[in-house]
Coordinates of all heavy atoms in Angstrom, one line a residue:
C34 N 1.0 -14.8 3.1 CA 0.8 -15.5 1.9 C 0.8 -14.6 0.7 O -0.1 -13.8 0.5 CB -0.6 -16.2 2.0 SG -1.0 -17.1 0.5
E65 N -14.8 -18.2 -1.1 CA -14.4 -19.4 -1.8 C -13.1 -19.2 -2.6 O -12.2 -20.0 -2.6 CB -15.5 -20.0 -2.7 CG -16.7 -20.5 -1.9 CD -17.6 -19.4 -1.4 OE1 -17.5 -18.2 -1.8 OE2 -18.5 -19.8 -0.6
D66 N -13.1 -18.0 -3.4 CA -11.9 -17.7 -4.2 C -10.7 -17.4 -3.3 O -9.6 -17.8 -3.6 CB -12.2 -16.4 -5.0 CG -13.1 -16.7 -6.2 OD1 -13.4 -17.9 -6.5 OD2 -13.6 -15.7 -6.8
Q67 N -10.9 -16.8 -2.1 CA -9.8 -16.5 -1.2 C -9.2 -17.8 -0.6 O -8.0 -17.9 -0.5 CB -10.3 -15.5 -0.1 CG -10.5 -14.1 -0.6 CD -10.9 -13.2 0.5 OE1 -10.1 -12.9 1.4 NE2 -12.1 -12.7 0.5
A68 N -10.1 -18.7 -0.2 CA -9.7 -19.9 0.4 C -8.9 -20.7 -0.7 O -7.8 -21.3 -0.4 CB -10.8 -20.7 0.9
Q69 N -9.4 -20.8 -1.9 CA -8.7 -21.5 -3.0 C -7.3 -20.9 -3.2 O -6.3 -21.7 -3.4 CB -9.5 -21.5 -4.2 CG -9.0 -22.3 -5.4 CD -9.9 -22.2 -6.6 OE1 -10.6 -21.3 -6.8 NE2 -9.9 -23.3 -7.4
Q70 N -7.2 -19.6 -3.3 CA -5.9 -18.9 -3.5 C -5.0 -19.2 -2.3 O -3.8 -19.5 -2.5 CB -6.1 -17.4 -3.7 CG -4.8 -16.7 -3.9 CD -4.0 -17.2 -5.1 OE1 -4.6 -17.5 -6.2 NE2 -2.7 -17.2 -5.0
F71 N -5.5 -19.1 -1.1 CA -4.7 -19.4 0.1 C -4.1 -20.8 0.1 O -2.9 -21.0 0.3 CB -5.5 -19.2 1.4 CG -4.8 -19.4 2.6 CD1 -4.0 -18.4 3.2 CD2 -4.8 -20.6 3.3 CE1 -3.3 -18.6 4.4 CE2 -4.1 -20.9 4.4 CZ -3.4 -19.9 5.0
I72 N -5.0 -21.8 -0.2 CA -4.5 -23.2 -0.2 C -3.5 -23.4 -1.3 O -2.5 -24.1 -1.1 CB -5.8 -24.1 -0.4 CG1 -6.6 -24.1 0.9 CG2 -5.3 -25.5 -0.7 CD1 -8.0 -24.6 0.7
K73 N -3.7 -22.8 -2.5 CA -2.8 -22.9 -3.6 C -1.4 -22.3 -3.2 O -0.4 -22.9 -3.5 CB -3.3 -22.2 -4.8 CG -2.4 -22.2 -6.0 CD -3.1 -21.4 -7.2 CE -2.1 -21.3 -8.3 NZ -2.6 -20.4 -9.4
S74 N -1.4 -21.2 -2.6 CA -0.2 -20.5 -2.2 C 0.6 -21.1 -1.1 O 1.8 -21.2 -1.1 CB -0.5 -19.0 -1.8 OG -1.0 -18.3 -2.9
V75 N -0.2 -21.6 -0.1 CA 0.5 -22.1 1.1 C 0.8 -23.6 1.0 O 1.8 -24.1 1.6 CB -0.5 -21.9 2.3 CG1 0.0 -22.6 3.6 CG2 -0.6 -20.4 2.6

Side-chain angles (χ1 to χ4, degrees):
C34 176
E65 292 80 9
D66 287 348
Q67 291 183 65
Q69 184 177 31
Q70 179 60 37
F71 180 84
I72 292 164
K73 178 181 173 189
S74 297
V75 170

